[in-house]
């Protein structure tokens, strides 16, 4: 986990904790989950870009 | 997009899960109706609201491997042969049909070898056949197993998963999920108290950046793959 994603998670947790309405707390916490998914997918895609670019057989 | 939620439950006021779902409804774009709450079914009115909806949801508890009798009565009364397919106009064609079903048994019961011995898809086959006949698009079922045993984090997640099932574009891919959150975010941020607005906006901007970064990576990868094909 990068520093920024850790920071983002804390911000969202804090904001969610301040919401009195259950459905609003739910929204921010669900958003946190999607941001984690974004990061995971981003890592995977970067990895795939690296992997596909590194092709010694094409040198 | 307009979603019509048709709830079938003989004692709605006594159902904690149905009350929870009602409280969780998105604030816009959804019309909600309790089938058993109608004095008499107004066929024209029911058919008119079906025509207007883009997505239709049947929502009910599972009673003996079927929907409550109220939904069957509604089907037999409202879904006349002429309306659904008889005159070859197919007014429901292209609309999506989704099922929100609550069960008293856990998820693992609904499989071959499980306590119930059959899958929910198998249980709901008659409704899927109806969607097929009406030329509708059948959405993956949205099951809620043993609502009474859900802990708070699961209930929080359920609120948003349910809202997305009602209003998010299908399939439920990361891209469509991101789009849904991006649509909701401005309204949610605007709704925050003044002292929380800055944090809300910051979170929204990081979310947007993440989204753009993902789009760029996807494009780059597509380009690399294209070159590999050459």
């Amino acid at each position: 986990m990068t520093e920024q994603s850790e920071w983002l998670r804390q911000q969202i947790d804090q904001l969610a904790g301040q919401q009195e309405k259950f459905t609003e707390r739910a929204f921010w916490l669900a958003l946190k989950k999607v941001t984690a998914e974004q990061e995971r997918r981003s890592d995977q895609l970067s990895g795939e870009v690296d992997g596909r670019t590194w092709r010694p057989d094409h040198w | 997009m307009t979603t019509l939620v048709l709830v079938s439950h003989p004692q709605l006021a006594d159902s904690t899960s149905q009350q929870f779902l009602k409280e969780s409804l998105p604030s816009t774009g959804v019309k909600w109706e309790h089938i058993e709450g109608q004095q008499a079914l107004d066929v024209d009115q029911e058919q008119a609201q079906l025509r207007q909806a883009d997505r239709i949801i049947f929502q009910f508890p599972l009673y003996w491997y079927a929907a409550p009798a109220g939904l069957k009565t509604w089907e037999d009364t409202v879904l006349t042969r002429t309306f659904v397919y008889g005159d070859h106009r197919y007014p429901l064609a292209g609309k999506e049909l989704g099922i929100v079903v609550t069960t008293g048994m856990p998820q693992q019961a609904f499989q071959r070898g499980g306590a119930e011995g059959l899958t929910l898809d198998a249980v709901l086959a008659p409704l899927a056949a109806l969607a097929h006949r009406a030329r509708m698009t059948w959405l993956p079922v949205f099951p809620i197993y043993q609502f009474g045993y859900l802990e708070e984090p699961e209930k929080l997640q359920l609120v948003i998963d349910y809202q997305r099932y009602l209003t998010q574009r299908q399939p439920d891919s990361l891209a469509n999920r991101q789009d849904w959150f991006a649509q909701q975010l401005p309204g949610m941020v605007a709704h925050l108290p003044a002292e929380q607005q800055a944090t809300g906006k910051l979170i929204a901007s990081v979310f947007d950046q993440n989204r753009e970064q993902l789009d760029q990576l996807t494009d780059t990868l597509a380009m690399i793959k294209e070159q590999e094909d050459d």
Side-chain angles (χ1 to χ4, degrees):
Chain A
M1 199 186 301
T2 64
E3 244 174 67
Q4 175 169 316
S5 57
E6 180 55 30
W7 170 86
L8 180 67
R9 228 147 283 182
Q10 283 170 4
Q11 295 293 312
I12 297 181
D13 274 336
Q14 198 183 345
L15 192 67
Q18 289 167 332
Q19 305 312 307
E20 286 172 18
K21 227 178 141 194
F22 193 79
T23 50
E24 282 165 19
R25 193 148 32 106
F27 175 83
W28 293 103
L29 292 174
L31 182 75
K32 184 172 77 162
K33 214 171 152 187
V34 177
T35 57
E37 210 183 335
Q38 285 177 324
E39 282 159 24
R40 198 168 54 241
R41 185 73 61 90
S42 185
D43 284 350
Q44 290 165 341
L45 288 176
S46 308
E48 192 177 349
V49 167
D50 284 351
R52 285 182 185 270
T53 318
W54 182 257
R55 296 269 305 264
D57 55 321
H58 282 212
W59 289 355
Chain B
M1 189 179 89
T2 309
T3 301
L4 174 63
V5 181
L6 295 165
V7 181
S8 176
H9 195 296
Q11 275 118 18
L12 195 70
D14 297 339
S15 164
T16 48
S17 55
Q18 293 301 332
Q19 294 304 322
F20 179 90
L21 294 176
K22 197 174 176 194
E23 290 296 318
S24 303
L25 286 172
S27 48
T28 54
V30 176
K31 190 167 189 313
W32 182 94
E33 181 186 294
H34 178 217
I35 290 176
E36 289 87 343
Q38 318 287 318
Q39 290 287 334
L41 285 171
D42 179 339
V43 174
D44 288 344
Q45 157 71 16
E46 295 290 320
Q47 290 182 351
Q49 61 183 16
L50 288 172
R51 282 178 208 271
Q52 280 158 17
D54 303 299
R55 182 174 294 173
I56 296 156
I57 306 287
F58 292 155
Q59 181 175 307
F60 53 83
L62 196 67
Y63 290 166
W64 285 122
Y65 314 108
L71 183 64
K72 186 65 165 75
T73 305
W74 178 92
E75 286 177 62
D76 294 349
T77 312
V78 176
L79 302 178
T80 60
R81 193 178 65 90
T82 314
F83 174 67
V84 177
Y85 64 90
D87 62 3
H88 301 286
R89 285 190 200 156
Y90 293 95
L92 303 177
K95 297 178 189 293
E96 294 167 313
L97 181 63
I99 309 291
V100 176
V101 60
T102 61
T103 73
M105 292 291 277
Q107 179 170 8
Q108 62 266 32
F110 293 95
Q111 55 183 327
R112 296 235 173 103
E116 300 290 11
L118 82 174
T119 63
L120 275 181
D121 275 349
V123 173
L124 299 169
L127 291 174
L130 162 68
H132 177 74
R133 199 72 171 88
R135 299 187 178 175
M136 300 173 83
T137 302
W138 177 255
L139 297 182
V141 174
F142 187 89
I144 302 169
Y145 304 102
Q146 298 189 305
F147 176 80
Y149 291 157
L150 296 185
E151 303 279 349
E152 180 161 300
E154 295 160 329
K155 284 186 178 165
L156 284 160
Q157 186 64 45
L158 176 60
V159 170
I160 302 304
D161 288 346
Y162 176 65
Q163 291 188 353
R164 293 192 302 103
Y165 188 69
L166 265 43
T167 58
Q168 181 193 291
R169 195 185 319 132
Q170 289 277 338
D172 185 18
S173 59
L174 177 57
N176 286 339
R177 268 196 292 287
Q178 287 187 121
D179 286 351
W180 187 86
F181 278 93
Q183 279 163 16
Q184 310 294 317
L185 262 169
M188 291 302 292
V189 171
H191 192 65
L192 290 169
E195 69 274 15
Q196 297 169 11
Q197 292 259 334
T199 310
K201 281 180 188 160
L202 217 55
I203 294 170
S205 86
V206 176
F207 174 82
D208 285 340
Q209 280 169 27
N210 285 352
R211 197 167 161 224
E212 277 169 31
Q213 197 189 348
L214 263 184
D215 284 348
Q216 279 170 11
L217 276 168
T218 309
D219 288 348
T220 308
L221 199 58
M223 220 160 65
I224 294 173
K225 283 181 180 173
E226 211 171 289
Q227 283 168 356
E228 283 174 358
D229 282 346
D230 290 343

